Amino acid sequence: MLEMLSPFFHLLLFPGGLFALACGLLLKGVDRKVAARLQRRIGPPLHQPFVDLIKLWHKDSSVPETAQSRVFAWAPHVGVTGMALAALLIPIGGVYTPSGAYGDLLVLLYLLAVPAVALMIGGAASGSPFGAIGFSREMSMMLAYEGPLLLALLSVALKVGLATGGVATFSLAEIVRYQQAHGALLFDPVMWPAVVTFLFVIPANLGVVPFDIPEAESEILEGPLLEYSGKELGLFQIMSALKMVVVLGLGVTLFCPTAPGGLLLSLAWFIFKCLVLMVASVTVVRSATGRLRIDQAFSFYFKWPEALGVASLILVLTTRNFP
Amino acid sequence: MSSYTIPVGPLHVALEEPMYFRVEAQGEMVVGLDITAGHVHRGIEALAMTRNFYQNITLTERLCSLCSNSHPSTYCMALENLASIRIPERAEYLRVIADEIKRVASNLFNCAILGHIIGFDSLFKHVMETREIMQDVKETIYGNRMDLAANCIGGVKYDLDEERSKYLWQQMERMKKHLDEIYALYCKNSFVRLRTEGVGVLSKEDALRFAVVGPVARGSGIDYDVRQKSPYAAYDRLDFEVQTENGGDVLCRAKVRLREAQQAVRLIQQCVTDMPAGPTCIDTPPEIPAGEAIAKSEAPRGELIYYLRTDGSDIPERLKWRVPSYMNWDALKSMLVGDKISDIALIVNSIDPCISCTER
């Protein structure tokens, strides 16, 4: 009986669902506070993202007359569902290991594209020209960063797979187990190009400056989000909070999933690692840069992260230990 | 590829004031532009013809926030030209100080907004924090952060005692360091340069054709500054250089503004040292005869012209002004077409449009 309920528990409460949402909103709160401090502002309190979400939940939402209302209303639900499922797949070292029945790294890779697709559908269905521009920009960004992301994931899969006697392993549990036994990949120089590639992908994947181009507020008025209000907008915020946890949690899983032991301590350690990763790859980056144009961002991704990803793959393949 | 229309404005997060652009775009490229004005018409010119000369000083100060000193000072100059009043020398220096303080604050404001538009909010905060020094100066010397209420017919309404002169000098020394740092930032930071270099180019020929004024003209290599071509107040006795750049793009205009702010700080310091003692205003109320007069000055955005016609009463028969943005905004057509949609707000901001004084 309990075993039948456990997928629901994992999806709705822990580690997906409520826990992931609270975690994501907390991360966003810290991000805003640290960014404010870096700009010598006071900044909002840590719980501001929670308050914002509750406020949106109590507001009416309006649908523009020119929108395709059904698609418009469903797009954020698709995004949230995708991310909730993805949160289910993120292992927490020493606390939670996703069952292989839920999916593996490849499923996660596909799920990671869902938020961008949801934004694209929502923007296109909103009937606003800014939504349409956001659509095309989101599409270009996806083309730009999916390549390096895939290469970084593949490097880790190959590294772990080759070391354990197979070809490439896409099992998240296996990747965590390997690192717990042999030390985190973060400290292996062979994996450093993959780490850097993944760090490059984070800002674009999470849509923050300098790569918040599809939702550029001062250029196209937040593009796809422009026409959203009330609960639907709140759903997009939930989606982006969940995505924060998923992307950062994936980074932690791939490169440093080791845990100190003890349930609460391991959990706190996981959140701490996510925080450090976020401050380094989101907060500091967005405070120190300005937004790029779409063509500049596109050519940037096709130059540096792409090259690094390929280099990382070659490095992993050439340094494997021949039996 | 078929083109589509996007509305920019009249309320747009990146435009500080209401202005409506109907932009024809193909993909990410702007191919056509239609500018519609008239969203903040308040009938101030008509109002000016119902108020007396003194009330109009207060009225013209409220036309616009960022150049709020240029309007009353030019209006007073027109009145003084008409009545052949020679204002005391000390007042001339004090007018320069008020004008230049506003110029520094206005130029920094525009450059800060540039940072915000390119998504570089740390830069925005940094420049605004520096601008806050000027706001403090205004509040300390004039008692207000925006409207200085410095001018009156025949002179100025404030004076600088020893203590305030010293304070002003010290604050300007502080500004110098910050302004040098900010200028270096705009010249060197790769994110600023990636977004602004070669964007919104206005060639010198086009600049002459559209007769643009102020930093927009000087950014396109036109060496025109009212302060030098027809000096007013104390500018003929002060040492400053007109700043020009030849690129004609958004970055050049920002650089011109920042260098002008640096020059303005020097001008204020010169005024504080060179200012002679004496009265700050004529001591008898002036008689304004019937007639016509024109006065012009260099506002932060460019050449500002006031035209005044009187009939011998204490109410102007006609008061009209031509503001710099009126000359500059038509040139947007030349700057925007051929650029990217992502740069629209950036280019519009680069002419520093002041809609509230253009549409009054």
Side-chain angles (χ1 to χ4, degrees), chain B residues 51-206:
Chain B
R51 302 195 171 186
N52 70 33
F53 296 127
Y54 285 96
Q55 288 171 323
N56 276 331
I57 299 175
T58 314
L59 181 68
T60 50
E61 183 135 26
R62 274 143 190 82
L63 270 172
C64 146
S65 59
L66 286 166
C67 32
S68 67
N69 191 64
S70 299
H71 284 282
S73 77
T74 318
Y75 165 70
C76 288
M77 272 160 54
L79 273 171
E80 287 149 13
N81 289 347
L82 186 64
S84 317
I85 299 166
R86 175 106 176 87
I87 69 168
E89 207 182 346
R90 188 175 175 82
E92 290 183 331
Y93 280 92
L94 287 168
R95 274 194 186 169
V96 171
I97 290 176
D99 248 13
E100 297 302 320
I101 286 177
K102 288 293 285 189
R103 191 185 313 279
V104 178
S106 172
N107 286 3
L108 284 183
F109 187 78
N110 180 260
C111 291
I113 298 291
L114 180 150
H116 169 65
I117 291 176
I118 63 169
F120 204 158
D121 283 331
S122 302
L123 182 66
F124 168 75
K125 287 297 299 176
H126 180 70
V127 178
M128 285 307 259
E129 207 180 335
T130 307
R131 179 176 178 266
E132 205 56 25
I133 299 176
M134 298 312 290
Q135 299 298 90
D136 284 347
V137 166
K138 288 186 216 166
E139 196 172 3
T140 311
I141 294 177
Y142 305 94
N144 283 321
R145 282 166 60 89
M146 281 321 264
D147 291 348
L148 306 184
N151 296 281
C152 64
I153 303 166
V156 289
K157 280 196 248 178
Y158 76 107
D159 200 2
L160 286 175
D161 54 21
E162 188 115 331
E163 194 186 359
R164 283 186 183 162
S165 298
K166 214 175 128 199
Y167 168 79
L168 184 57
W169 177 276
Q170 281 167 349
Q171 295 301 306
M172 288 308 116
E173 281 297 312
R174 259 180 86 194
M175 280 304 285
K176 272 186 188 170
K177 229 185 305 153
H178 288 296
L179 284 174
D180 289 347
E181 190 193 355
I182 291 174
Y183 183 68
L185 249 172
Y186 277 81
C187 291
K188 288 191 196 127
N189 186 287
S190 44
F191 283 91
V192 175
R193 290 184 53 182
L194 271 172
R195 286 302 304 273
T196 55
E197 242 170 356
V199 169
V201 177
L202 182 70
S203 64
K204 189 168 179 178
E205 295 72 52
D206 274 349

Side-chain angles (χ1 to χ4, degrees), chain A residues 167-186:
Chain A
V167 182
T169 177
F170 291 102
S171 154
L172 286 153
E174 190 66 36
I175 290 171
V176 173
R177 208 172 311 132
Y178 172 79
Q179 294 187 66
Q180 277 167 349
H182 297 88
L185 290 177
L186 179 63

Side-chain angles (χ1 to χ4, degrees), chain A residues 140-212:
Chain A
S140 311
M141 280 312 288
M142 260 178 86
L143 285 176
Y145 70 71
E146 286 286 303
L149 176 64
L150 183 65
L151 287 170
L153 298 190
L154 213 55
S155 300
V156 174
L158 267 176
K159 170 86 186 165
V160 176
L162 291 171
T164 51
V167 182
T169 177
F170 291 102
S171 154
L172 286 153
E174 190 66 36
I175 290 171
V176 173
R177 208 172 311 132
Y178 172 79
Q179 294 187 66
Q180 277 167 349
H182 297 88
L185 290 177
L186 179 63
F187 303 111
D188 184 353
V190 172
M191 296 310 292
W192 286 349
V195 175
V196 178
T197 311
F198 193 80
L199 284 178
F200 271 130
V201 171
I202 294 177
N205 207 330
L206 293 178
V208 293
V209 177
F211 303 112
D212 67 334

Side-chain angles (χ1 to χ4, degrees), chain A residues 24 44 65 78-79 89 101 120 230 249 254 278-279 291 301:
Chain A
E65 275 173 31
V78 171
L89 293 176
M120 276 157 58
L254 290 181
M278 180 193 69
V279 170
R291 187 185 308 116
Y301 270 101

Side-chain angles (χ1 to χ4, degrees), chain A residues 137 217-219 287 291 296, chain B residues 28 117-118 122 194-195:
Chain A
R137 288 180 172 195
E217 182 225 13
S218 54
E219 290 168 14
S287 303
R291 187 185 308 116
Q296 292 165 341
Chain B
E28 282 260 333
I117 291 176
I118 63 169
S122 302
L194 271 172
R195 286 302 304 273

